[in-house]
Amino acid sequence: MEHVNAPSRRPWVVGVSGASGTPYAASVLRALLAAGEAVDLVVSRASRLTLLDETGIAFRDAHWREDLAQWLARGADGKPDTFGDIDLSGVRHWPAGDLAAGPSSGSYPVKGMIIVPASTACVAGVALGLSKDLLQRAASVTLKEGRRLVVAVRETPLNGQTLRHLVTLDEAGAVVLPASPAFYAGATHIQDLVDFVAGRALDAAGVPHALYRRWEGELGGGSRGV
């Protein structure tokens, strides 16, 4: 774990749960760092299995920096080194089992939290206030402190129980953001679809980015070259 002694540091907490969609998390992380934002990263145990399955990358607490660098350099199409070297100096990693970590307390200064992707199990845990790991605890703290919480749920279909949990999160002040790519921005590559969802998550968080082309009120935008 890296400790950064910077009293003015106010990061975004990024939680990665076990749902399919690790490229969404990578896109959000790259864009936050490109915007000059600090990031506190929490990668759940279940998400490490998903990451290994989707990318072949094993995310290890003792080697998180090199594993994260490899992950963020990878394109959504699976090609390694698509994005080159990413400056990770603004990232602090907290093990998912560390319930004494900074983001577990409301007195720890953060701007808010983005859970991407969010599994239905994660949604249920946050909605019910279970705090079974640091990801869920940090989300509960974010809600109780009145900070922005963006939940990028990535499951289909959704049953009634999950829908009720999502309504609970909405009523608690979270932004429920399904990972639903749009096509009006002229996507020509899988990365474009991933970046659209990541961009919408950052829109909800209020973080500037250039991940997708915005609607300008003119039809036919999706057929023009990006």
Side-chain angles (χ1 to χ4, degrees):
M1 183 188 308
E2 179 185 4
H3 294 278
V4 180
N5 295 318
S8 62
R9 184 179 184 273
R10 290 187 66 233
W12 283 95
V13 179
V14 176
V16 186
S17 81
S20 176
T22 54
Y24 292 130
S27 182
V28 165
L29 288 165
R30 284 192 298 265
L32 284 171
L33 295 174
E37 299 285 349
V39 172
D40 276 22
L41 178 63
V42 182
V43 181
S44 77
R45 290 187 176 91
S47 70
R48 298 173 194 222
L49 297 176
T50 306
L51 180 65
L52 182 62
D53 183 53
E54 293 184 344
T55 69
I57 297 170
F59 191 90
R60 303 158 295 175
D61 289 335
H63 303 279
W64 70 268
R65 187 175 292 277
E66 51 259 51
D67 295 339
L68 180 61
Q70 184 181 1
W71 179 15
L72 297 192
R74 187 183 183 91
D77 60 0
K79 293 181 180 178
D81 300 322
T82 297
F83 293 95
D85 293 333
I86 307 293
D87 182 4
L88 301 180
S89 60
V91 181
R92 175 185 287 176
H93 165 254
W94 299 99
D98 186 2
L99 292 177
S104 68
S105 172
S107 65
Y108 183 78
V110 304
K111 292 183 178 180
M113 181 174 184
I114 303 171
I115 305 176
V116 56
S119 66
T120 54
C122 174
V123 166
V126 177
L128 296 174
L130 298 182
S131 296
K132 74 177 183 65
D133 62 8
L134 179 59
L135 194 159
Q136 292 184 11
R137 173 59 184 169
S140 295
V141 167
T142 301
L143 289 176
K144 82 178 182 68
E145 295 295 326
R147 297 166 181 158
R148 180 57 56 95
L149 173 64
V150 180
V151 181
V153 60
R154 213 302 317 154
E155 296 278 7
T156 190
L158 299 176
N159 62 25
Q161 185 177 47
T162 298
L163 291 170
R164 285 187 286 273
H165 288 152
L166 291 172
V167 169
T168 297
L169 291 179
D170 175 77
E171 291 174 343
V175 175
V176 175
L177 192 141
S180 301
F183 296 85
Y184 62 77
T188 59
H189 190 277
I190 186 175
Q191 189 68 54
D192 299 326
L193 299 176
V194 167
D195 287 347
F196 180 88
V197 171
R200 294 299 287 150
L202 293 172
D203 288 344
V207 177
H209 65 87
L211 288 176
Y212 69 89
R213 186 173 61 201
R214 298 182 181 278
W215 175 252
E216 297 177 348
E218 298 181 5
L219 295 177
S223 63
R224 297 194 298 266
V226 178

